């Protein structure tokens, strides 16, 4: 994914253009939306704007520019998603490799690095070490399906965001990870 694949839409939040995916091997492409929300701490457009500020600083002046940006006294205490987005090279990688010393790179983040990041964050969050070894990028997709179902989203709405071609695939996640959802056993008075 490159910087030009993501835009902040004034009504919807983020529009993320996927050029190709597991369910779109031909590369027809699709746009997925991530909405604004009330909390600046979990607002996807705010997270994007903060990250793109780091990317733009790195592209403009390297490590020292990123350090200057991050040393600014303003804490992330409010939304930043409506204040404009720094310009970046449209073809530059959005998700960048980060060296072990914390320096941002100019190459794209690898799939293996994404898996490592997910596992590291889960470990820091206190997940069982055995469960952590099973986590990866697919876990996020499966978790989205499960949580969407638990929150009452219908299968079509879930598939629209995940790109599942078949509602049967969505149903597999619902049955495996939310077995009481839509199950008559909860309605028989046990």
């Amino acid at each position: 994914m490159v910087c030009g694949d993501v835009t902040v839409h004034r009504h919807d939040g983020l529009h993320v253009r996927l050029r190709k995916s597991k369910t779109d091997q031909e590369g027809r492409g699709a746009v997925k939306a991530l909405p604004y929300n009330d909390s600046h701490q979990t607002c996807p457009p705010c997270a994007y704007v903060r990250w793109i500020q780091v990317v733009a600083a790195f592209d403009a002046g390297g490590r020292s520019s990123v350090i200057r940006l991050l040393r600014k006294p303003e804490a992330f205490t409010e939304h930043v998603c409506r204040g404009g987005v720094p310009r970046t090279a449209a073809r530059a990688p959005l998700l960048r490799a980060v060296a072990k010393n914390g320096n941002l790179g100019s190459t794209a983040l690898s799939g293996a690095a994404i898996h490592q990041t997910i596992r590291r964050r889960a470990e820091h969050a206190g997940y069982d070490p055995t469960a952590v070894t099973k986590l990866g990028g697919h876990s996020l997709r499966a978790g989205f399906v499960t949580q969407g179902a638990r929150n009452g989203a219908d299968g079509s709405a879930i598939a629209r965001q995940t790109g599942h071609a078949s509602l049967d695939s969505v149903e597999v996640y619902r049955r495996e990870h939310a077995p009481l959802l839509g199950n008559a056993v909860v309605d028989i008075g046990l």
Side-chain angles (χ1 to χ4, degrees):
M1 179 174 301
V2 295
C3 293
D5 289 336
V6 181
T7 56
V8 178
H9 186 273
R10 67 180 182 187
H11 299 295
D12 297 340
L14 287 183
H15 282 191
V16 181
R17 183 171 160 242
L18 303 177
R19 296 169 184 266
K20 193 175 185 180
S21 69
K22 180 180 174 182
T23 57
D24 178 20
Q25 296 294 315
E26 298 82 37
R28 289 185 304 264
V31 173
K32 302 295 180 180
L34 297 168
Y36 294 104
N37 69 33
D38 293 335
S39 170
H40 68 280
Q41 295 174 320
T42 58
C43 178
C46 282
Y48 167 74
V49 168
R50 289 183 185 119
W51 176 247
I52 207 70
Q53 288 170 344
V54 171
V55 169
F58 178 80
D59 289 348
R63 181 175 187 258
S64 58
S65 290
V66 172
I67 291 170
R68 276 193 301 279
L69 171 71
L70 298 178
R71 283 190 177 160
K72 286 184 177 177
E74 305 94 38
F76 293 133
T77 58
E78 58 187 34
H79 281 274
V80 295
C81 53
R82 302 284 186 165
V85 180
R87 288 183 121 349
T88 59
R91 301 291 309 153
L94 175 64
L95 302 175
R96 307 281 179 96
V98 180
K100 289 187 185 224
N101 64 5
N103 288 337
L104 191 63
S106 56
T107 59
L109 192 63
S110 70
I114 292 170
H115 285 300
Q116 290 171 350
T117 301
I118 291 167
R119 290 176 181 152
R120 188 174 50 250
R121 299 305 302 161
E123 189 176 297
H124 285 38
Y127 279 71
D128 174 20
T130 306
V132 169
T133 63
K134 297 176 185 175
L135 296 177
H138 183 262
S139 306
L140 300 178
R141 187 176 190 217
F144 177 85
V145 172
T146 302
Q147 195 60 50
R150 285 184 176 152
N151 289 0
D154 74 348
S156 297
I158 292 169
R160 181 175 177 203
Q161 188 70 5
T162 62
H164 281 101
S166 161
L167 292 182
D168 291 340
S169 299
V170 172
E171 190 58 33
V172 168
Y173 290 107
R174 290 168 68 130
R175 278 195 310 269
E176 288 180 9
H177 303 291
L180 290 178
L181 199 70
N183 188 328
V185 75
V186 298
D187 297 324
I188 63 172
L190 293 178

